[in-house]
Amino acid sequence: MVKVNSNYFKLKTNYLFPEINNRVNHFIEINNNINIIRLGIGDVTEPLPKACCLAMKAAVDEMGTDHGFHGYGPEQGYDWLRKAIAYHDFQIRGCDISSEEIFISDGSKCDTSNILNILSNDNRIAVTDPVYPVYVDSNVMAGNTGNNFEKTHYRGLIYIILNAENNFVASIPKERVDIVYLCFPNNPTGAVATRFQLKEWVNYALDNDSLILFDAAYQSFIQDPNLPHSIFEIEGARNCAIEFRSFSKNAGFTGTRCAFSVVPKSLNGNTICGNKVNLWELWKRRQSTKFNGVNYVVQRGAEAVYSHEGQVQIQALTKFYMENAAIIYNKLQDIGLQVYGGKHAPYVWIKTPEGKDSWEFFDYLLKKAHIVSTPGSGFGKAGEGYIRLSAFNSRSNIEVAMDRITALDFDI
Ligand SMILES: *Cc1c(COP(=O)(O)O)cnc(C)c1O
C-alpha cells in the first residue's frame, strides 16, 4: 500500500475557519432568516479597481488574436510586471531591489509555504504566537516539527509571544534561530513595526546568520509615512531577508490571484557541509521546475495597479477599508473595550470583556449581535482572550455591526 506523509497527522484537527463556519451555520439553521454580519474571515469585499478590469479585458481580447496570443510565459513572471514592481514598490522608496529579484506567483500563501522547499529540515525556526496559521502548518507538513503538544505549541518551533506589554510586536529572542517569520502590518493583531524595531531584527539576523521571512501583504494599509513598508528599507536586509507581497489586499486580488516574492541575489545559505549557496539561484530553480507562471491576463491586471489610474483607485480602496477600521476601533474604544491594531492594518484586535475566553466571546457576539468574529485563540495560545474583527466589509455592515455591539450590555 502507498505510504502517506504522516506529518499531516500532527496537524491540529480543527482548523479555525471550518470551526467558525460550523458554529455560524448551526446558528443560522436554528434561527431562520437571521441577518448575520461577517467580520471574521480576512477577505476583501469591494470590487476590483477599474484600471485592473480594463487591462484584463484588453488582455483577454489580445489573447484571442493571432499576434496577441501568449502561451507559456516566463516562470518568474513577465519582465514588464517585474520592472513595474521593482520600480514602484522598492526603488522609489530607496530600496536596492532589481526586477530580477522579483518572482511573480499566484499567492503569498503559496510562497510562504513553498519557500520551505529550498530550506533544510534542521533549521531552528521561530514564529510568533499569535500567528498566521500557514507559517506553522506548512512547517508541520514539511516535517519540521515534532508532535502537537498541549494542542497549542509544536515541539521544534520557537514561539515568540505577542501581548499587550510588547504592543504585539515580536521581541528579539534570547536564543539563536535560523529562520524567523515576521508579518507587518500583522495579521491577526494589526500591529506594525517601526523602522527601529525592524532594524533590530535585521541586526539580529546579520549577527546570527539568520533568515527573516518577511510577510508584507498588508503594507498598503500603513498610514504613517515614517513607517517602513518593506524590510528592504532597512540597511543590511539584502543579506538576511526574503519578502512576500501580494495584490490580494491592496488591489482586491484575493479571487484573481497574483503575488510576488522578493529574493535578493546577495542572500546565501549553507549546505550541511558548510558550503555557501545562493538562495536566489535555488528559488529560481524551484519556481522553474514546479511552477509555470501566473496567467498573462492576470499579470496585465497586476501591472495596471502601477498605472496612474490604478494608484488612485487602490489608494481609494485602502482609504475606504481604513475608515471602516477607524469606525470599529473608535466605537469599541468608546464603550470601554481594550482595542489594538486598526491604525495601519485592516484588523482590530480586541481584548474580550468579562473574563470570557475567545470562543465564549465569539459565541456571545454571534448569539447577541449576530456578528461573526475570529477567536484570537485560533491564531495561537497567546491569542486566547482576544478576538479579531476585520474591516473588510461594506460601510453599512460595519455601521450596523457597531450599533449592535455598542447596544449590548456587558460589563467591561
Ligand atoms: C491575506 C494574506 C496574505 C495574502 O495571501 P495570498 O495567497 O496572496 O492571497 C499573505 N499573508 C497574510 C498574513 C495574509 O493575511
Side-chain angles (χ1 to χ4, degrees), residues 39 328 332 346-348 350 372-373 387-391 402 405:
L39 303 181
I328 298 174
L332 298 185
Y347 298 121
V348 181
I350 301 147
V372 183
S373 59
I387 60 150
R388 185 193 75 178
L389 290 184
S390 155
M402 290 310 110
I405 296 183

Side-chain angles (χ1 to χ4, degrees), residues 189-191 221 223 321-326 329 339-349 391:
T189 68
F221 297 93
Q223 303 295 301
Y321 290 130
M322 289 313 288
E323 284 165 1
N324 283 350
Y329 188 101
V339 285
Y340 303 91
K343 302 277 188 207
H344 306 285
Y347 298 121
V348 181
W349 185 245

Side-chain angles (χ1 to χ4, degrees), residues 100-101 103 115 118-119 211 238-239 242 263-271 274-286:
E100 287 201 319
E101 296 171 321
F103 292 80
I115 197 68
I118 65 162
L119 301 167
L211 174 66
R238 280 187 59 84
N239 295 318
I242 290 175
V263 185
K265 287 189 170 175
S266 44
L267 200 55
N268 294 311
N270 272 335
T271 64
N275 295 325
K276 218 198 242 180
V277 275
N278 185 257
L279 291 187
W280 181 89
E281 297 279 0
L282 287 187
W283 183 244
K284 185 170 180 203
R285 185 63 200 265
R286 191 267 168 211

Side-chain angles (χ1 to χ4, degrees), residues 107-109 132 135 183 187 215 217-218 246 248-249 257 259 347:
S108 283
K109 190 184 197 174
Y132 179 53
Y135 313 150
C183 174
N187 178 11
D215 186 340
Y218 294 95
S246 174
S248 284
K249 312 292 160 46
R257 312 304 303 143
Y347 298 121

Side-chain angles (χ1 to χ4, degrees), residues 195-244:
R195 196 170 294 275
F196 179 77
Q197 286 163 330
L198 280 194
K199 179 86 190 126
E200 282 191 320
W201 271 107
V202 167
N203 289 344
Y204 167 86
L206 293 173
D207 288 347
N208 290 284
D209 258 337
S210 324
L211 174 66
I212 298 173
L213 297 176
F214 191 77
D215 186 340
Y218 294 95
Q219 57 78 29
S220 65
F221 297 93
I222 292 175
Q223 303 295 301
D224 179 346
N226 293 317
L227 290 169
H229 286 234
S230 166
I231 189 95
F232 299 114
E233 291 180 47
I234 310 299
E235 201 189 322
R238 280 187 59 84
N239 295 318
C240 65
I242 290 175
E243 181 162 306
F244 302 101

Side-chain angles (χ1 to χ4, degrees), residues 28-176:
I28 292 172
E29 241 165 64
I30 56 176
N31 298 278
N32 273 332
N33 277 332
I34 205 131
N35 173 14
I36 298 273
I37 299 179
R38 293 171 195 269
L39 303 181
I41 201 157
D43 195 359
V44 297
T45 51
E46 293 300 294
L48 284 173
K50 265 269 141 22
C52 301
C53 291
L54 291 174
M56 287 193 278
K57 279 183 186 160
V60 168
D61 287 341
E62 225 187 305
M63 289 288 270
T65 65
D66 280 339
H67 60 276
F69 172 75
H70 286 75
Y72 289 124
E75 290 93 347
Q76 292 74 31
Y78 285 100
D79 258 357
W80 32 263
L81 178 56
R82 300 170 82 194
K83 283 192 171 123
I85 291 170
Y87 178 70
H88 291 277
D89 282 338
F90 298 97
Q91 291 159 6
I92 58 172
R93 298 193 68 86
C95 308
D96 175 22
I97 292 295
S98 75
S99 61
E100 287 201 319
E101 296 171 321
I102 309 288
F103 292 80
I104 310 298
S105 78
D106 59 349
S108 283
K109 190 184 197 174
C110 327
D111 286 343
T112 53
S113 43
N114 289 339
I115 197 68
L116 293 176
N117 280 185
I118 65 162
L119 301 167
S120 155
N121 285 112
D122 45 22
N123 286 304
R124 290 172 59 82
I125 300 169
V127 293
T128 61
D129 175 6
V131 66
Y132 179 53
V134 175
Y135 313 150
V136 172
D137 288 0
S138 56
N139 271 290
V140 176
M141 291 172 173
N144 291 349
T145 68
N147 283 320
N148 184 13
F149 73 98
E150 289 177 357
K151 299 223 179 315
T152 48
H153 285 178
Y154 289 94
R155 273 181 217 287
L157 292 181
I158 293 141
Y159 289 84
I160 305 171
I161 306 299
L162 308 180
N163 51 33
E165 284 82 68
N166 55 31
N167 236 328
F168 303 97
V169 174
S171 352
I172 308 290
K174 300 227 165 28
E175 69 256 77
R176 196 195 152 264

